[in-house]
PDB file of all heavy atoms in Angstrom:
ATOM      1  N   GLU N 162      14.315  14.368  35.328  1.00 98.00           N
ATOM      2  CA  GLU N 162      14.415  12.908  35.373  1.00 98.00           C
ATOM      3  C   GLU N 162      14.546  12.284  33.985  1.00 98.00           C
ATOM      4  O   GLU N 162      14.967  11.126  33.856  1.00 98.00           O
ATOM      5  CB  GLU N 162      13.172  12.319  36.052  1.00 98.00           C
ATOM      6  CG  GLU N 162      12.972  12.716  37.496  1.00 98.00           C
ATOM      7  CD  GLU N 162      11.689  12.146  38.047  1.00 98.00           C
ATOM      8  OE1 GLU N 162      10.629  12.799  37.905  1.00 98.00           O
ATOM      9  OE2 GLU N 162      11.731  11.038  38.631  1.00 98.00           O
ATOM     10  N   ILE N 163      14.154  13.002  32.953  1.00 98.00           N
ATOM     11  CA  ILE N 163      14.079  12.418  31.613  1.00 98.00           C
ATOM     12  C   ILE N 163      15.446  12.011  31.070  1.00 98.00           C
ATOM     13  O   ILE N 163      15.585  10.908  30.510  1.00 98.00           O
ATOM     14  CB  ILE N 163      13.320  13.363  30.667  1.00 98.00           C
ATOM     15  CG1 ILE N 163      11.849  13.438  31.127  1.00 98.00           C
ATOM     16  CG2 ILE N 163      13.418  12.897  29.211  1.00 98.00           C
ATOM     17  CD1 ILE N 163      10.993  14.422  30.354  1.00 98.00           C
ATOM     18  N   PRO N 164      16.501  12.828  31.224  1.00 98.00           N
ATOM     19  CA  PRO N 164      17.804  12.378  30.719  1.00 98.00           C
ATOM     20  C   PRO N 164      18.257  11.047  31.320  1.00 98.00           C
ATOM     21  O   PRO N 164      18.898  10.253  30.632  1.00 98.00           O
ATOM     22  CB  PRO N 164      18.743  13.522  31.128  1.00 98.00           C
ATOM     23  CG  PRO N 164      17.865  14.728  31.174  1.00 98.00           C
ATOM     24  CD  PRO N 164      16.554  14.217  31.728  1.00 98.00           C
ATOM     25  N   SER N 165      17.903  10.800  32.566  1.00 98.00           N
ATOM     26  CA  SER N 165      18.279   9.525  33.191  1.00 98.00           C
ATOM     27  C   SER N 165      17.570   8.350  32.528  1.00 98.00           C
ATOM     28  O   SER N 165      18.171   7.277  32.338  1.00 98.00           O
ATOM     29  CB  SER N 165      17.942   9.563  34.685  1.00 98.00           C
ATOM     30  OG  SER N 165      18.188   8.309  35.286  1.00 98.00           O
ATOM     31  N   ILE N 166      16.301   8.541  32.145  1.00 98.00           N
ATOM     32  CA  ILE N 166      15.580   7.455  31.463  1.00 98.00           C
ATOM     33  C   ILE N 166      16.156   7.239  30.065  1.00 98.00           C
ATOM     34  O   ILE N 166      16.262   6.096  29.604  1.00 98.00           O
ATOM     35  CB  ILE N 166      14.076   7.760  31.424  1.00 98.00           C
ATOM     36  CG1 ILE N 166      13.524   7.845  32.852  1.00 98.00           C
ATOM     37  CG2 ILE N 166      13.329   6.665  30.639  1.00 98.00           C
ATOM     38  CD1 ILE N 166      12.049   8.189  32.920  1.00 98.00           C
ATOM     39  N   VAL N 167      16.557   8.311  29.407  1.00 98.00           N
ATOM     40  CA  VAL N 167      17.228   8.164  28.105  1.00 98.00           C
ATOM     41  C   VAL N 167      18.492   7.321  28.274  1.00 98.00           C
ATOM     42  O   VAL N 167      18.761   6.393  27.488  1.00 98.00           O
ATOM     43  CB  VAL N 167      17.571   9.533  27.494  1.00 98.00           C
ATOM     44  CG1 VAL N 167      18.387   9.363  26.212  1.00 98.00           C
ATOM     45  CG2 VAL N 167      16.298  10.324  27.196  1.00 98.00           C
ATOM     46  N   LYS N 168      19.277   7.614  29.309  1.00 98.00           N
ATOM     47  CA  LYS N 168      20.500   6.840  29.569  1.00 98.00           C
ATOM     48  C   LYS N 168      20.174   5.375  29.858  1.00 98.00           C
ATOM     49  O   LYS N 168      20.920   4.472  29.447  1.00 98.00           O
ATOM     50  CB  LYS N 168      21.262   7.447  30.743  1.00 98.00           C
ATOM     51  CG  LYS N 168      21.927   8.780  30.443  1.00 98.00           C
ATOM     52  CD  LYS N 168      22.675   9.314  31.662  1.00 98.00           C
ATOM     53  CE  LYS N 168      23.325  10.655  31.363  1.00 98.00           C
ATOM     54  NZ  LYS N 168      24.009  11.216  32.571  1.00 98.00           N
ATOM     55  N   THR N 169      19.055   5.139  30.548  1.00 98.00           N
ATOM     56  CA  THR N 169      18.672   3.771  30.867  1.00 98.00           C
ATOM     57  C   THR N 169      18.280   3.007  29.606  1.00 98.00           C
ATOM     58  O   THR N 169      18.616   1.824  29.446  1.00 98.00           O
ATOM     59  CB  THR N 169      17.518   3.764  31.884  1.00 98.00           C
ATOM     60  OG1 THR N 169      17.911   4.497  33.046  1.00 98.00           O
ATOM     61  CG2 THR N 169      17.150   2.348  32.293  1.00 98.00           C
ATOM     62  N   PHE N 170      17.551   3.655  28.691  1.00 98.00           N
ATOM     63  CA  PHE N 170      17.262   3.040  27.398  1.00 98.00           C
ATOM     64  C   PHE N 170      18.557   2.672  26.686  1.00 98.00           C
ATOM     65  O   PHE N 170      18.691   1.560  26.138  1.00 98.00           O
ATOM     66  CB  PHE N 170      16.447   3.991  26.519  1.00 98.00           C
ATOM     67  CG  PHE N 170      14.964   3.803  26.565  1.00 98.00           C
ATOM     68  CD1 PHE N 170      14.154   4.675  27.285  1.00 98.00           C
ATOM     69  CD2 PHE N 170      14.348   2.776  25.865  1.00 98.00           C
ATOM     70  CE1 PHE N 170      12.763   4.516  27.316  1.00 98.00           C
ATOM     71  CE2 PHE N 170      12.978   2.599  25.889  1.00 98.00           C
ATOM     72  CZ  PHE N 170      12.182   3.470  26.618  1.00 98.00           C
ATOM     73  N   ARG N 171      19.510   3.591  26.687  1.00 98.00           N
ATOM     74  CA  ARG N 171      20.776   3.344  25.982  1.00 98.00           C
ATOM     75  C   ARG N 171      21.536   2.185  26.626  1.00 98.00           C
ATOM     76  O   ARG N 171      22.080   1.317  25.920  1.00 98.00           O
ATOM     77  CB  ARG N 171      21.624   4.613  25.975  1.00 98.00           C
ATOM     78  CG  ARG N 171      21.025   5.728  25.140  1.00 98.00           C
ATOM     79  CD  ARG N 171      21.832   7.008  25.206  1.00 98.00           C
ATOM     80  NE  ARG N 171      23.123   6.877  24.537  1.00 98.00           N
ATOM     81  CZ  ARG N 171      23.915   7.911  24.233  1.00 98.00           C
ATOM     82  NH1 ARG N 171      23.533   9.158  24.542  1.00 98.00           N
ATOM     83  NH2 ARG N 171      25.070   7.727  23.619  1.00 98.00           N
TER      84      ARG N 171
END
Side-chain angles (χ1 to χ4, degrees):
E162 297 177 272
I163 293 175
S165 175
I166 298 178
V167 174
K168 289 180 181 177
T169 304
F170 265 103
R171 293 177 69 167

